[in-house]
Amino acid sequence: MGERVEPGLLAGLRVVECSMLGPGAVSTPLADLGADVIKVEPPAGDYIRSMSWPIVEGDSLLHLHVSRGKRSVILDLRTAGGREAFLGLVRTADVVVEAMRPGGLDRRDLGYQRLREANPAVVMFTISGYGMTGPYRELPSHGIAYDAWAGTVQPVPGPGGLPSIPDHTSIGITAGPLFGTAAILAAVLRARQTGEGCHLEVAQSDAAAAFDWLRSEGHRAYARPADEVTGNPSDGYERRPPGTAGMADGVRYQFYESADGHVLFMASERKFWQNFCTAIGREDLFRARPGEALADHARGDLDLRRELNGIFRTRTTAEWVELGLAHDVPIGPVNTPATVAADPQFADRMPWQPADRLVADQLPFPVRVVGEAPPAAARRAPRRGEHTAEVLAEVLGYDPATLGRLRAEGALG
């Protein structure tokens, strides 16, 4: 159904995944890139299908996105037949993903040592909330917990002055899988060279902190003596807060209202500031305030900020972007998740994977081979156990009699 999807860069890579909820995203890019991802589910299935919102044709968008391109097999790992089938799949796999609280497979006698006996070259990857070690390793959690732990999201005043969760980008549950896919592929390369696999693990909390490295490393750097770690020369070496906090009162690097929305002006280099002033016929602004050559945001210059505020309101956002393109000035449009799809850059770079193939319109994997279409999932997210018979027959050679015996024993749920 829908357009044909070409074989991807990872055709020939097999991943066996045991996941619950969002951490299964670690193998989504692998599926997008053509890997055969087999999602092994318990008899009740992964309740990701009913979690979060919106619900599209009976399944959550979370499931439709995270599980796209994968095949679903039901195995009851509490049974001998279920464990035997699981180990059979592992013998054919490059990677086993454990995306749940650490130790889930160990409790089924299917931990790394057992998997390694079945396949010495297998790479096992464990992704969890707080990791396999540390005092929080058994603490139940959901996605925003990792961002709050890492300091990337803070409470805001809510109803009656009570603390409330703000609109935010979920970092930990996204960065953890992305760091994970890089490590998985590195480990597979080594395993194919040496015949030896390994056990990788990542905490989504660690990933949230690592993603926000500039602020945490900046605070740590400022803990050293002032004669060793200073601010930028453009600020007279003042030790400004790390990250964007010191730019809140920036002028040449700031949001401004346009005639129909907002733009982000980013002329912190002198050459860009001069280009802007020349392009709008206001060389007088540059002559009066040429600033430093680099990293000068004209911080605190309220007179200039008011002047620029009036200037930017005279043109639409699209007109300011065109000026930036024509005169080499860094000016960007300001979108929201609801409006970004209408942006011409988005339309050019991020073609929707269509609902007629994936049930809901979804964004593509953002890295592509130059000259080729963006990688795309070949199939919709699976229904619970949809591919059990197909996979066990294709991969393990189980005949109908064997499948019937396993069903009778309860191994297939």
Side-chain angles (χ1 to χ4, degrees):
M1 184 167 62
E3 81 280 24
R4 182 170 179 269
V5 176
E6 298 297 326
L9 294 171
L10 292 179
L13 183 82
R14 175 164 290 150
V15 179
V16 175
E17 172 193 311
C18 295
S19 68
M20 296 297 285
L21 301 177
V26 68
S27 57
T28 304
L30 304 179
D32 283 347
L33 291 168
D36 179 19
V37 179
I38 300 171
K39 180 178 173 67
V40 176
E41 303 190 54
D46 181 354
Y47 67 95
I48 187 175
R49 294 175 177 85
S50 301
M51 199 71 170
S52 189
W53 53 85
I55 302 295
V56 184
E57 296 185 19
D59 283 321
S60 71
L61 181 58
L62 181 65
H63 169 63
L64 294 173
H65 182 98
V66 167
S67 304
R68 70 191 188 194
K70 303 176 185 180
R71 298 195 282 179
S72 171
V73 170
I74 294 293
L75 291 178
D76 190 338
L77 301 182
R78 298 170 297 183
T79 67
R83 289 192 294 273
E84 178 185 353
F86 184 82
L87 289 172
L89 294 175
V90 170
R91 291 185 184 97
T92 75
D94 298 279
V95 181
V96 172
V97 169
E98 179 185 45
M100 56 186 75
R101 286 200 216 179
L105 287 178
D106 256 323
R107 288 188 285 274
R108 302 288 185 240
D109 193 29
L110 293 170
Y112 175 60
Q113 291 307 318
R114 183 71 186 89
L115 303 185
R116 191 179 178 191
E117 292 170 8
N119 180 356
V122 76
V123 172
M124 181 175 179
F125 180 82
T126 297
I127 180 170
S128 59
Y130 294 107
M132 295 175 63
T133 61
Y136 298 168
R137 63 186 180 277
E138 297 292 340
L139 185 63
S141 55
H142 283 302
I144 192 174
Y146 319 128
D147 303 326
W149 176 86
T152 65
V153 61
Q154 300 291 320
V156 297
L162 297 171
S164 184
I165 296 173
D167 191 18
H168 65 284
T169 299
S170 295
I171 296 175
I173 63 171
T174 304
L178 289 177
F179 283 126
T181 54
I184 284 170
L185 295 177
V188 168
L189 286 176
R190 190 177 75 173
R192 289 183 173 181
Q193 292 170 346
T194 67
E196 290 291 324
C198 62
H199 187 184
L200 305 166
E201 71 116 351
V202 69
Q204 292 166 97
S205 53
D206 294 350
F211 207 78
D212 192 37
W213 64 269
L214 180 59
R215 289 194 294 177
S216 56
E217 290 183 19
H219 282 291
R220 187 170 180 84
Y222 281 149
R224 296 173 60 184
D227 61 346
E228 293 180 5
V229 179
T230 72
N232 193 279
S234 67
D235 290 320
Y237 300 97
E238 176 190 346
R239 288 162 57 120
R240 290 168 53 186
T244 58
M247 293 162 57
D249 57 350
V251 177
R252 281 169 38 191
Y253 201 128
Q254 190 56 266
F255 287 115
Y256 287 97
E257 285 186 64
S258 67
D260 60 352
H262 290 85
V263 295
L264 179 61
F265 184 49
M266 300 163 283
S268 54
E269 295 94 336
R270 181 188 287 155
K271 68 173 184 177
F272 290 140
W273 172 231
Q274 185 171 16
N275 289 351
F276 173 76
C277 293
T278 300
I280 64 171
R282 290 296 306 273
E283 292 88 344
D284 59 301
L285 291 178
F286 179 75
R287 289 193 298 269
R289 301 175 177 87
E292 299 292 330
L294 299 172
D296 190 342
H297 304 148
R299 191 166 57 101
D301 190 340
L302 288 179
D303 288 340
L304 179 58
R305 191 167 176 178
R306 294 187 186 97
E307 183 84 23
L308 292 176
N309 188 60
I311 291 170
F312 278 111
R313 292 177 70 176
T314 63
R315 306 189 194 194
T316 66
T317 295
E319 288 171 335
W320 283 119
V321 171
E322 287 301 317
L323 180 141
L325 288 167
H327 298 278
D328 195 28
V329 178
I331 303 176
V334 179
N335 296 309
T336 72
T339 65
V340 67
D343 188 289
Q345 179 74 9
F346 183 101
D348 183 88
R349 295 281 304 178
M350 299 288 280
W352 291 100
Q353 294 193 54
D356 65 354
R357 174 161 47 86
L358 298 181
V359 182
D361 291 332
Q362 297 179 36
L363 298 180
F365 184 75
V367 182
R368 68 184 73 180
V369 178
V370 175
E372 296 183 11
R379 58 170 65 86
R380 59 155 284 161
R383 298 173 181 88
R384 181 179 64 88
E386 178 180 350
H387 305 98
T388 301
E390 171 189 307
V391 169
L392 296 184
E394 171 196 318
V395 178
L396 301 184
Y398 284 8
D399 58 23
T402 302
L403 291 170
R405 176 178 58 82
L406 290 173
R407 284 195 186 93
E409 294 172 359
L412 308 185

